[in-house]
Amino acid sequence: MLMKKGVILGVAGAVVAGTIAIAGGHGGNPAVKARKAHMQLYAHNLGILGGMAKGEADYDAGQAQAAADNLAMLATMKQMSYWPSGTSTDELGDETRALPAAWDPSNWDDLMAKSAAMTDAAAAMQAAAGSLEGVQASIGAVGGACGACHKVYRQPMN
Amino acid sequence: MRLVLKSIAVLAISGMAVFWWVTRPVTSDASVLAGLEPDLARGALVFHAGGCASCHAADGAEGDARFVMAGGRSFPSDFGTFYAPNISPDPDFGIGRWSTIDFYNALHHGVSPDGRHYFPAFPYTSYARATPEDIVSLHAFVMTLPATDAPNRPHDVGFPFSIRRSLGAWKWLFHDPEWVLEGDLSEEELRGRYLVEALGHCGECHTSRNVLGGLNYARWMAGAPNPTGSGNIPNVTPAKFDWSLSDTVEYFTSGFTPEYDTAGGHMADVIENLAQLPVEDRRAIALYLKRISPVE
């Protein structure tokens, strides 16, 4: 019995160690990967809403609401652990496009304001997603809120 | 010997005369604006399409502050650093004392009311293609904006461009208000051409320049190094830019790319302006981009 538990513990330990190895060793800083994944989730849900807004996909109230709900949830998630110090372009080069200005304490009020604007824009989309007109009228503000942060704190694409 | 010296003197004097002639600031008189009435709504549209706030609003200005034309933003270049001036209606620090023809001459000829050449960091090479009607309306609109007494900062440029008169030679070489895209264009494509080549001055960043800073028209809109940072301004000719019409219009409206990334850097400012235009205008720009020559 004791032997069995030992095996289980050993397996569990190996799995944990393996996971850490994958996260840490498979190229890249885990916090950078987390924030990129978060952005990817934004993009995926925006793609659903944007496709309908552009007329490339038929409007579907259920899908639109689900995507808008996800967006609103993503915009309220706590991101502190995504942005540890030492993870800007200064330290990580091409691995990230996050500019050091985002870690400058004098910019924190601005960052909080831009983050709040994103939360507001996503909430407005969530409230409006019940109609195609609502989606079309709300998506510009979401784009503006994304862009406001990218404009200042993200390095342009090479 | 005497004859040789005389010949040299004559050549030198005629050379100076030619230089003086070539580099003289050319302006128009008020008759070019005769009978034109300003339209404030049109002026607002020209203001956004022309991207005035992108350079003349203070750095980082948002919301209503983007209507305060305080200047001050810096524009580093190979020739030195330029600082956008105050173009608010303040009579002493801005352009409040300018007449409409002064304003026209600034935008159309790149010449100040006191007869000096402007540096082409101010994109009059593009604005020269704007109609007198639009310029008159823009002037009236700018005069409705808040005045500010922010002082101008002198440009920091080296010889020979520090001598304003030399800019006359630059204009003689490069200031050509002809249209870049010629041919059989639809009404929408013509509107797109006007927005891109005149008001939007898109070519100023999206087209590379020669060593003297003149636009390389053979590579019109085919991309260039980023003038204000690292990286490159992309090639938007059909050789490289293959977004659908609706994707392009969406980008100009919300800033979202087809992958739902967003515009960053200076293009984010441009999209804030484009989003103020009627959707037909954004569509016209997208249609124009499909018509320009593909350049690899």
Side-chain angles (χ1 to χ4, degrees), chain B residues 6-252:
Chain B
K6 262 189 184 164
S7 305
I8 289 172
V10 168
L11 278 174
I13 289 166
S14 53
M16 278 166 67
V18 168
F19 179 82
W20 203 246
W21 171 256
V22 162
T23 60
R24 80 203 189 285
V26 177
T27 54
S28 301
D29 65 53
S31 65
V32 297
L33 306 180
L36 297 176
E37 289 297 324
D39 171 345
L40 282 179
R42 182 178 189 156
L45 200 146
V46 175
F47 177 84
H48 294 304
C52 309
S54 299
C55 291
H56 289 283
D59 210 1
E62 290 176 14
D64 286 347
R66 282 174 58 81
F67 289 105
V68 183
M69 300 288 98
R73 228 179 249 231
S74 66
F75 298 88
S77 79
D78 292 344
F79 311 101
T81 299
F82 301 99
Y83 296 94
N86 180 338
I87 57 159
S88 80
D90 189 280
D92 298 315
F93 294 90
I95 62 169
R97 291 190 213 276
W98 287 22
S99 65
T100 307
I101 192 66
D102 288 339
F103 192 78
Y104 176 88
N105 281 323
L107 269 80
H108 197 88
H109 296 291
V111 174
S112 69
D114 60 358
R116 293 196 308 155
H117 293 298
Y118 285 122
F119 290 105
F122 169 40
Y124 53 80
T125 41
S126 297
Y127 293 153
R129 301 185 180 106
T131 62
E133 291 84 350
D134 275 358
I135 292 178
V136 165
S137 294
L138 175 63
H139 180 239
F141 178 76
V142 168
M143 288 302 116
T144 67
L145 299 177
T148 167
D149 58 2
N152 285 339
R153 183 166 173 184
H155 302 309
D156 181 15
V157 288
F159 186 81
F161 292 107
S162 51
I163 299 175
R164 292 269 182 157
R165 188 86 190 193
S166 68
L167 290 162
W170 189 93
K171 287 182 180 175
W172 186 70
L173 289 169
F174 303 121
H175 186 27
D176 175 13
E178 294 298 308
W179 296 109
V180 182
L181 177 65
E182 301 278 11
D184 190 19
L185 301 175
S186 71
E187 200 168 313
E188 271 186 300
E189 287 161 352
L190 286 171
R191 176 67 181 162
R193 179 175 77 172
Y194 182 69
L195 289 165
V196 170
E197 296 188 15
L199 301 183
H201 60 282
C202 310
E204 303 280 344
C205 286
H206 282 280
T207 305
S208 53
R209 293 173 185 275
N210 60 31
V211 286
L212 288 175
L215 287 180
N216 183 0
Y217 284 107
R219 297 190 57 79
W220 179 243
M221 302 294 273
N226 183 359
T228 54
S230 62
N232 287 293
I233 307 291
N235 180 336
V236 291
T237 72
K240 297 284 180 194
F241 184 73
D242 59 358
W243 294 2
S244 72
L245 195 62
S246 62
D247 280 347
T248 310
V249 174
E250 181 63 34
Y251 181 68
F252 291 156

Side-chain angles (χ1 to χ4, degrees), chain A residues 54 56 114 150-151 154, chain B residues 62 246-247 261-262 269:
Chain A
K54 281 188 273 192
E56 288 168 354
K114 288 185 162 63
H150 290 162
K151 183 166 87 173
R154 187 175 68 162
Chain B
E62 290 176 14
S246 62
D247 280 347
D261 192 355
T262 62
D269 282 326

Side-chain angles (χ1 to χ4, degrees), chain A residues 124-156:
Chain A
M125 172 63 90
Q126 189 179 26
S131 73
L132 177 59
E133 294 70 33
V135 171
Q136 285 170 334
S138 309
I139 198 156
V142 178
C146 298
C149 215
H150 290 162
K151 183 166 87 173
V152 191
Y153 300 109
R154 187 175 68 162
Q155 182 164 282

